[in-house]
């Protein structure tokens, strides 16, 4: 690492190897401050950069592909730029043994052990292709269970640790009080800041129990937005008093409870900072988003709220930043604002694009040398990063485990049966029954009855089919005939009507990201069948046809529960808070299966809405209030 501090250099180099050297490992670990004192400016800046290698284009290849195995080029980049961390995506983590080998090689490439991070929130945002995915935060919010929240964090932390991933960008502390939010939705626990706080802190503690760095996101709050910052620049116009009571409240309480890291939001908060900047996209004046605001990061988060941990940006390649600010300027502005780690500061997908990272590094160096960024600030950020690595055992004098030992441990831990059982139990406890007129549920099919299952996508109907077949094998229901139909981008047809006519029972999943797609001037319009309308129009047409033929039918809202408002006329309606189905031989979320368990009466619905559901036809009215949920007898759960 540093010629001027050779023993530390040797120690830190050995920390990421698999060579057991007891004499060296018994040496005292230098403090973070001591390490910083012997680092060059390049080495310090490297600790503050966390790029991704999601895709890589090797020599001779025409396009980048998922980066799953270390190569000399990426190893060279990690070492040359003294990177402090990397972030992994689904393209990087396709199998358990493969992931362990990749993280092992990443660490071998670095003199100082890396922060290896991932977005493994549980629910709809998961990266591990072989792992436990959990029902997600809003399902846990529906269960109101602190244990479920804690166990989610603990089990995710256990699996990530086994894989060599030490940093998780979770929990989400956004308060989802905007039904039209396109990016948070079921990633939030609730629209109630108190419930978000209670459950979010438990998830944080569960992660920390397994020595996994947890990250509160997205500060100061992405819940009350109608724009996805992956594609545009959201605006939250609430006054400061309201922000403190709602958006900021969960963050403040989690900070008080010992948060490790906070991730910023690419969202404008004029009540905190109305400073304007000329957009590079169109030359218009725009307000600086929280990620690039010193008033938000330094004055609010650090000084007023007392956060002393590590601040990381959300991905700087998101269009909210990328379209309006230059690549290098955005990174410099973020560090000036008080950020400690720039996440995904430059796209590097081949040796040809390595220059992007070098440009960012040089831009930061110039800013420091010109004293636009104080050296004391850089030192403080790097010391915090290294201190966190020490506290979480990433930098350690412990004897390292061999690669073979790591693989063996990971294959025993990741996605193991006990974890799968835990996620299924959580999903059942979150399933929320909203309507059950005429005792429609539970379904009690007779032998050879025909059940039609419909959902937008193949993996969703596969999840329904596999679950029903499992219930038959377990003799929990009589053997039935199953017919499945995926209706994405389709119109209701004579074939659909025939399927309903021949069925004894109909199960339809509805999947809407933003509610209200089938409303025209306040009136439900089932005849509108363009690409924006099928998601609601098709299940409504199925609902009406089933009613006309006196067929027992249930609708499952598969994602945002606000979707349920589109089906006021349904006899049976439930929310499961998760849309991922069955693919590659496994359930990618337990939610749909849990919903089927309730539909057939093999599990009881225990969930209560964690958000208000406004009416579609009368938007100022609440159709189903927060806390609402029925048991199978139609009585309100308390």
């Amino acid at each position: 690492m540093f010629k001027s501090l050779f023993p530390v250099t040797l120690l830190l180099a050995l920390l990421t190897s698999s060579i057991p050297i007891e004499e060296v490992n018994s040496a005292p670990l230098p403090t973070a401050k001591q390490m910083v004192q012997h680092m060059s400016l390049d080495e310090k800046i490297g600790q503050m950069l966390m790029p991704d290698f999601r895709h890589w284009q090797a020599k001779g290849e025409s396009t980048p592909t998922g980066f799953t195995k270390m190569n000399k080029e990426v190893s060279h980049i990690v070492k040359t730029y003294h990177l402090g961390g990397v972030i992994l995506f689904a393209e990087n983590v396709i199998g358990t043994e493969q992931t362990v080998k990749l993280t092992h090689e990443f660490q071998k490439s670095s003199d100082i052990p890396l922060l290896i991070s991932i977005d493994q929130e549980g629910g709809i945002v998961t990266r591990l292709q072989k792992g436990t995915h959990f029902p997600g935060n809003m399902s846990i919010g529906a269960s109101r269970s602190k244990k479920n929240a804690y166990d989610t964090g603990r089990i995710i932390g256990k699996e990530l640790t086994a894989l060599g991933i030490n940093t998780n960008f979770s929990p989400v502390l956004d308060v989802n009080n905007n039904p039209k939010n396109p990016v948070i939705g079921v990633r939030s626990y609730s629209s109630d800041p108190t419930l978000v706080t209670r459950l979010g802190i438990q998830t944080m503690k569960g992660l920390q129990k397994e020595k996994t760095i947890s990250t509160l996101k997205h500060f100061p709050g992405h819940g009350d937005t109608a724009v996805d910052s992956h594609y545009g620049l959201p605006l939250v116009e609430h006054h400061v008093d309201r922000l403190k009571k709602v958006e900021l409240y969960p963050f403040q309480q989690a900070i008080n409870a010992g948060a490790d890291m906070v991730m910023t939001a690419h969202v404008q908060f004029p009540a905190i900072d109305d400073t304007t900047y000329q957009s590079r996209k169109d030359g218009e004046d725009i307000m600086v988003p929280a990620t690039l605001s010193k008033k938000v990061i330094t004055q609010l988060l650090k000084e007023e709220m007392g956060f002393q941990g590590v601040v990381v940006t959300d991905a700087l390649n998101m269009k909210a930043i990328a379209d309006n600010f230059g690549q290098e300027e955005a990174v410099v502005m973020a560090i000036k604002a008080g950020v400690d780690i720039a996440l995904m500061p430059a796209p590097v997908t081949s040796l040809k694009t390595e220059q992007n990272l070098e440009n960012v590094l040089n831009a930061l160096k110039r800013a420091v040398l010109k004293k636009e960024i104080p050296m004391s600030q850089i030192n403080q950020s790097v010391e915090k990063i290294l201190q966190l690595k020490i506290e979480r055992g990433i930098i350690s004098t412990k004897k390292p485990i061999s690669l073979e030992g790591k693989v063996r441990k990971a294959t025993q831990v990741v996605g193991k049966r006990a974890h799968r059982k835990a996620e299924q139990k959580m999903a059942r406890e979150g399933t929320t029954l909203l309507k059950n007129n005429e005792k429609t549920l539970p379904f009690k099919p007779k032998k050879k009855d025909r059940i039609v299952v419909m959902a937008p996508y193949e993996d969703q109907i596969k999840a329904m089919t596999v679950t029903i077949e499992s219930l038959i094998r377990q003799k929990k229901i009589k053997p039935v005939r199953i017919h499945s139909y995926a209706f994405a981008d389709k119109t209701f047809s004579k074939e659909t009507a025939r399927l309903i006519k021949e069925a004894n029972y109909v199960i339809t999943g509805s999947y809407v990201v933003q509610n209200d797609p089938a409303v025209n001037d306040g009136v439900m319009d089932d005849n509108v069948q363009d690409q924006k309308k099928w998601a609601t129009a098709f299940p409504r047409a199925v609902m009406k046809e089933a009613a006309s033929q006196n067929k027992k039918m249930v609708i499952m809202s598969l994602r945002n529960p606000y979707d349920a408002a589109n089906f006021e006329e349904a006899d049976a309606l439930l929310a499961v808070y998760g849309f991922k189905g069955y693919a590659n031989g496994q359930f990618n979320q337990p939610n749909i299966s849990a919903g089927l368990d309730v539909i057939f009466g093999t599990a009881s619905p225990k969930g209560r809405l964690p958000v208000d559901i406004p009416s579609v036809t009368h938007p100022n009215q609440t159709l189903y209030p927060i806390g609402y949920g029925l048991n199978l007898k139609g009585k309100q759960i308390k």
Side-chain angles (χ1 to χ4, degrees):
M1 176 179 147
F2 325 117
K3 292 181 181 177
S4 57
L5 197 61
F6 181 75
V8 178
T9 306
L10 181 58
L11 173 60
L12 292 174
L14 287 169
L15 292 176
T16 53
S17 76
S18 58
I19 305 170
I21 306 289
E22 292 294 344
E23 294 84 1
V24 174
N25 287 351
S26 63
L29 190 65
T31 66
K33 186 179 288 292
Q34 288 172 330
M35 293 181 200
V36 172
Q37 288 172 351
H38 293 273
M39 294 173 76
S40 69
L41 180 56
D42 280 17
E43 289 166 334
K44 292 173 184 176
I45 290 175
Q47 285 296 305
M48 301 174 71
L49 301 177
M50 186 181 281
D52 69 299
F53 297 96
R54 192 172 188 165
H55 301 97
W56 188 260
Q57 184 176 350
K59 288 182 180 179
E61 293 184 358
S62 57
T63 57
T65 56
F67 182 74
T68 59
K69 186 178 180 180
M70 181 58 72
N71 59 37
K72 291 180 180 179
E73 293 92 342
V74 173
S75 180
H76 158 80
I77 290 171
V78 171
K79 188 175 291 289
T80 300
Y81 295 94
H82 313 285
L83 296 179
V86 295
I87 179 173
L88 303 180
F89 287 90
E91 292 85 351
N92 303 120
V93 290
I94 59 175
T96 299
E97 183 174 347
Q98 169 270 322
T99 301
V100 173
K101 289 179 178 178
L102 181 62
T103 60
H104 181 81
E105 292 299 319
F106 263 121
Q107 295 292 18
K108 281 179 64 178
S109 300
S110 179
D111 290 331
I112 301 178
L114 298 164
L115 295 175
I116 299 182
S117 67
I118 200 165
D119 291 290
Q120 191 73 4
E121 297 173 9
I124 69 170
V125 177
T126 51
R127 308 301 189 205
L128 300 183
Q129 296 191 40
K130 299 293 182 182
T132 312
H133 291 154
F134 295 97
N137 291 341
M138 193 166 284
S139 175
I140 293 171
S143 74
R144 304 300 200 276
S145 171
K146 289 171 66 174
K147 182 179 186 302
N148 287 350
Y150 180 83
D151 285 348
T152 295
R154 180 181 58 81
I155 294 171
I156 288 175
K158 189 179 289 290
E159 294 192 357
L160 293 182
T161 298
L163 291 166
I165 300 168
N166 50 46
T167 304
N168 193 17
F169 292 142
S170 170
V172 174
L173 292 190
D174 301 311
V175 180
N176 200 84
N177 41 30
N178 188 337
K180 293 185 178 181
N181 193 317
V183 65
I184 302 301
V186 292
R187 296 168 65 191
S188 167
Y189 295 98
S190 175
S191 60
D192 176 5
T194 304
L195 184 57
V196 170
T197 300
R198 187 162 68 242
L199 300 179
I201 288 176
Q202 289 302 310
T203 299
M204 179 185 83
K205 288 183 176 179
L207 286 163
Q208 291 173 339
K209 173 69 164 59
E210 299 300 326
K211 297 294 184 182
T212 303
I213 294 170
S214 66
T215 310
L216 316 179
K217 64 184 188 185
H218 306 80
F219 182 84
H222 207 318
D224 196 1
T225 63
V227 174
D228 182 348
S229 54
H230 289 85
Y231 306 107
L233 193 54
L235 173 69
V236 174
E237 297 187 274
H238 298 301
H239 55 77
V240 173
D241 288 344
R242 144 65 196 247
L243 292 173
K244 287 181 178 179
K245 291 177 182 177
V246 180
E247 280 77 11
L248 296 175
Y249 181 80
F251 290 99
Q252 183 67 75
Q253 299 308 311
I255 288 168
N256 295 347
D260 299 314
M261 190 178 286
V262 169
M263 176 180 282
T264 66
H266 305 328
V267 180
Q268 300 166 318
F269 290 84
I272 304 171
D273 190 353
D274 60 359
T275 305
T276 57
Y277 178 95
Q278 189 177 51
S279 169
R280 290 200 174 191
K281 180 173 68 174
D282 53 21
E284 296 291 324
D285 284 345
I286 57 172
M287 277 180 285
V288 173
T291 294
L292 310 181
S293 168
K294 188 166 187 175
K295 290 182 180 179
V296 172
I297 305 303
T298 298
Q299 295 178 17
L300 175 62
L301 177 59
K302 294 183 176 182
E303 295 174 1
E304 291 184 35
M305 298 178 70
F307 181 60
Q308 297 178 356
V310 173
V311 181
V312 60
T313 69
D314 204 343
L316 291 171
N317 69 340
M318 290 162 61
K319 287 185 178 293
I321 299 297
D323 282 359
N324 296 295
F325 306 88
Q327 174 182 289
E328 296 144 38
E329 186 166 359
V331 177
V332 171
M333 289 178 69
I335 302 301
K336 280 184 178 180
V339 162
D340 302 304
I341 296 176
L343 178 64
M344 298 169 68
V348 185
T349 57
S350 67
L351 284 179
K352 291 181 180 179
T353 56
E354 180 185 347
Q355 185 68 42
N356 293 331
L357 195 57
E358 185 176 353
N359 291 343
V360 164
L361 179 86
N362 288 335
L364 283 170
K365 283 175 66 175
R366 285 193 300 271
V368 175
L369 295 174
K370 290 180 180 179
K371 299 185 179 180
E372 296 172 6
I373 301 174
M375 181 62 79
S376 59
Q377 181 187 330
I378 297 293
N379 290 340
Q380 187 179 57
S381 288
V382 177
E383 187 177 330
K384 285 194 295 183
I385 293 165
L386 295 176
Q387 182 60 36
L388 184 56
K389 289 181 178 183
I390 292 170
E391 287 175 359
R392 289 287 174 255
I394 299 164
I395 294 177
S396 170
T397 57
K398 287 184 179 179
K399 180 179 175 180
I401 302 171
S402 68
L403 175 58
E404 294 75 17
K406 291 178 182 178
V407 170
R408 185 165 55 251
K409 174 70 178 297
T411 53
Q412 293 170 350
V413 169
V414 177
K416 71 178 186 179
R417 187 176 179 183
H419 295 176
R420 295 288 190 181
K421 286 183 69 175
E423 70 168 358
Q424 188 68 22
K425 177 177 177 291
M426 292 179 194
R428 290 192 186 112
E429 292 178 0
T431 300
T432 307
L433 183 61
L434 301 175
K435 290 189 74 175
N436 192 23
N437 294 346
E438 307 298 327
K439 297 182 179 179
T440 301
L441 300 180
F443 286 174
K444 297 291 184 182
K446 298 176 183 176
K447 188 175 181 180
K448 293 186 179 182
D449 273 356
R450 183 185 290 269
I451 297 176
V452 172
V453 295
M454 297 181 178
Y457 301 108
E458 292 289 343
D459 69 309
Q460 296 167 342
I461 58 174
K462 182 69 173 175
M464 295 180 186
T465 301
V466 169
T467 302
I468 294 171
E469 290 171 346
S470 176
L471 292 174
I472 293 170
R473 284 196 305 274
Q474 297 174 65
K475 297 184 178 181
K476 292 183 177 180
I477 64 172
K478 298 287 178 64
V480 295
R481 293 171 293 171
I482 308 167
H483 192 103
S484 59
Y485 186 82
F487 61 76
D489 295 315
K490 295 179 182 176
T491 59
F492 190 87
S493 65
K494 290 181 180 179
E495 178 191 2
T496 320
R498 179 183 58 79
L499 288 174
I500 294 170
K501 183 177 181 180
E502 294 174 355
N504 301 97
Y505 298 91
V506 180
I507 301 170
T508 301
S510 178
Y511 167 60
V512 173
V513 178
Q514 288 193 66
N515 204 10
D516 216 9
V519 175
N520 184 15
D521 296 326
V523 180
M524 290 287 187
D525 184 0
D526 290 336
N527 296 315
V528 180
Q529 295 285 354
D530 64 27
Q531 194 167 359
K532 294 181 180 178
K533 307 297 182 182
W534 62 262
T536 301
F538 194 98
R540 281 186 57 77
V542 171
M543 177 182 69
K544 289 188 174 183
E545 183 68 20
S548 71
Q549 296 190 30
N550 201 29
K551 303 288 183 176
K552 285 202 169 188
M553 188 256 194
V554 61
I555 292 182
M556 279 200 297
S557 171
L558 299 181
R559 185 164 173 164
N560 295 338
Y562 311 108
D563 177 25
N566 294 298
F567 311 105
E568 287 189 49
E569 308 95 319
D571 283 331
L573 177 65
L574 70 160
V576 298
Y577 312 101
F579 66 87
K580 291 184 179 180
Y582 188 94
N584 301 318
Q586 66 177 23
F587 286 97
N588 291 320
Q589 263 189 284
N591 306 52
I592 292 175
S593 181
L596 269 290
D597 287 337
V598 168
I599 287 170
F600 288 101
T602 59
S604 300
K606 296 181 178 180
R608 293 183 292 129
L609 283 174
V611 295
D612 286 324
I613 298 181
S615 169
V616 166
T617 51
H618 300 88
N620 293 327
Q621 296 180 14
T622 298
L623 186 62
Y624 301 107
I626 186 171
Y628 182 82
L630 305 174
N631 61 24
L632 285 170
K633 293 181 180 180
K635 294 184 178 180
Q636 169 71 42
I637 296 172
K638 296 181 180 179

